[in-house]
Amino acid sequence: MAQGYEMGDGMSTARLDDSIKAQLDEAERTMRCLAPAGDGFQARLARLARQGALARPYPGVYARPSYWNALEPKAQCLHVARTLSDAHPSWVFCATTAAVVHGMAMSYRYIKVPHISVPGKRRGQTRWAVWHHLRDDDDATIRLNGVRVTSFERTAFDCLRFLPFDQALAVADSALRIRNADIPWLMHSVCGYWPGYLNAQHARRVAHHANGLAENGGESMARAAMIELGYMLPELQAVVPNPLDGGTYRLDFMWRLADGRVVAGEYDGRGKYLNGHDGVPREGDEALRGAVDKMAKERLRESRLTLAMGVMRFSPKQLRSRPYFCQLMDSFGIPRVREPQEIEARARIPRWTL
């Protein structure tokens, strides 16, 4: 949810008239927010937002609180980008916002505000947006999913060079997965196209470690931690037999250790249990039944796997605690094969890199 978003609580006694409801219905149908024209209408909606009857994700942009709050952050990002792109055709969405439009992995913390390039506007940051300046010789822009964005390659490059290693690796992995490409493509077509740009060396370091077999950003960030801490890297998406019922299972991570033991690693992100399609969660009992069914299947799957190997599960919170993550890896006997290393090689500008 964007840092600058003003949210209605949905409990206001202010009423929306039929005209506003109809326009909100149409905006939701097209996966957009409502951005009305005319100062008078804008003033009405701003008043309703102050009264809590509407959410205001961006100045002049409105949505029903119940609808808006049900969207996951990436879906919120896309709604705002589509709405602003319709209202401002000259705006180009770039960096982390463009990454979401292209379908790359992106942490919620980096999509709190849109990243936009506007002709003639200087770089800078406000409560509502991060402003970039794309030079005339920069890569061409395209229109995708209703939004004008920087190209896939340029978007990946900007994220690789300005995001921290773990976040950038998630982008690099997803870029390989989406393009069904390899590291030489990433080095040449992404990192090699703008060799003199700031932090290009950091982008190349990230690209060197990329692996398109990672299925989501959490798995990429886990592997980034293993790389920086010096642990033996696992096989990704290894297929192993179900020792009891037949068939096969696919693992997030698998280590074959020197003593003959096999260890499976499973990243437990909550999204695989709770989210529906397009970032819109299922509602009510359906969501609860779906989550419970998935967790039950996971527990059954794990009970079968433990017949043949150790199973190490970890959550995003546990991954963020490096001392705990090291203790977990050590307890399962995952060896360190190199000294811990600092991958970071970036100048931490612009400000949006946090």
Side-chain angles (χ1 to χ4, degrees):
M1 188 179 300
Q3 187 175 15
Y5 290 174
E6 294 178 0
M7 308 302 299
D9 59 12
M11 301 299 289
S12 170
T13 58
R15 298 180 63 86
L16 305 179
D17 63 33
D18 290 342
S19 173
I20 294 176
K21 289 179 181 178
Q23 292 185 62
L24 288 168
D25 288 342
E26 177 60 19
E28 292 169 10
R29 186 187 68 79
T30 60
M31 303 185 74
R32 285 166 167 78
C33 300
L34 176 58
D39 293 341
F41 199 18
Q42 281 278 8
R44 287 177 59 196
L45 297 187
R47 183 169 59 253
L48 288 167
R50 289 192 297 271
Q51 294 170 345
L54 290 175
R56 187 174 76 140
Y58 190 91
V61 172
Y62 302 91
R64 283 189 182 93
S66 58
Y67 176 80
W68 183 258
N69 292 332
L71 298 173
E72 70 155 5
K74 288 183 180 179
Q76 291 180 345
C77 174
L78 289 171
H79 275 60
V80 171
R82 292 188 191 104
T83 306
L84 294 178
S85 196
D86 291 342
H88 305 280
S90 65
W91 289 11
V92 177
F93 291 81
C94 54
T96 57
T97 305
V100 174
V101 177
H102 282 291
M104 300 177 196
M106 184 56 57
S107 172
Y108 293 164
R109 68 182 294 203
Y110 289 97
I111 58 174
K112 291 180 178 179
V113 295
H115 288 243
I116 310 165
S117 175
V118 179
K121 189 175 183 68
R122 290 187 174 183
R123 295 182 178 91
Q125 183 171 359
T126 68
R127 177 188 177 190
W128 297 101
V130 180
W131 303 99
H132 298 254
H133 175 69
L134 298 179
R135 300 200 309 250
D136 292 339
D137 62 345
D138 284 340
D139 196 39
T141 61
I142 62 172
R143 192 166 185 86
L144 180 66
N145 294 327
V147 184
R148 189 180 175 199
V149 293
T150 47
S151 71
F152 186 93
E153 290 78 8
R154 177 57 194 269
T155 299
F157 176 65
D158 285 339
C159 291
L160 263 61
R161 68 195 182 108
F162 280 126
L163 288 173
F165 174 59
D166 59 345
Q167 307 287 341
L169 187 62
V171 174
D173 288 351
S174 64
L176 292 183
R177 186 171 64 250
I178 293 167
R179 283 289 194 258
N180 192 25
D182 54 17
I183 290 179
W185 170 84
L186 198 59
M187 288 290 194
H188 175 73
S189 298
V190 175
C191 300
Y193 198 79
W194 300 272
Y197 277 49
L198 181 65
N199 288 344
Q201 179 185 5
H202 178 64
R204 289 191 293 270
R205 285 192 180 187
V206 174
H208 174 74
H209 294 283
N211 190 323
L213 291 177
E215 286 197 331
N216 57 60
E219 293 178 15
S220 299
M221 293 173 64
R223 201 171 80 260
M226 298 170 199
I227 292 169
E228 291 189 316
L229 294 169
Y231 285 101
M232 172 186 179
L233 293 182
E235 299 176 40
L236 304 185
Q237 307 306 322
V239 177
V240 298
N242 179 338
L244 185 61
D245 303 319
T248 59
Y249 288 130
R250 191 157 48 89
L251 307 175
D252 295 342
F253 309 106
M254 186 177 75
W255 290 268
R256 300 181 189 274
L257 304 181
D259 61 6
R261 291 185 302 116
V262 177
V263 176
E266 296 285 279
Y267 175 78
D268 265 345
R270 291 185 301 169
K272 66 181 178 182
Y273 300 124
L274 299 177
N275 289 340
H277 297 294
D278 299 322
V280 182
R282 295 180 298 272
E283 296 183 358
D285 292 341
E286 180 189 357
L288 179 59
R289 285 194 299 269
V292 170
D293 286 347
K294 285 189 175 182
M295 286 188 284
K297 290 178 181 178
E298 282 293 309
R299 299 289 84 79
L300 180 63
R301 175 177 180 269
E302 182 172 333
S303 72
R304 302 297 188 264
L305 287 173
T306 53
L307 294 174
M309 64 188 70
V311 180
M312 174 176 62
R313 307 190 77 95
F314 52 91
S315 67
K317 181 179 179 180
Q318 292 165 343
L319 176 61
R320 287 192 295 269
S321 172
R322 290 301 174 88
Y324 180 89
F325 190 64
C326 287
Q327 183 180 8
L328 184 65
M329 296 283 281
D330 292 343
S331 68
F332 276 84
I334 310 301
R336 293 193 192 232
V337 295
R338 66 186 71 83
E339 291 296 317
Q341 57 181 322
E342 178 68 43
I343 305 296
E344 294 289 331
R346 64 189 171 107
R348 300 192 181 196
I349 55 175
R351 289 166 56 196
W352 62 265
T353 54
L354 303 183

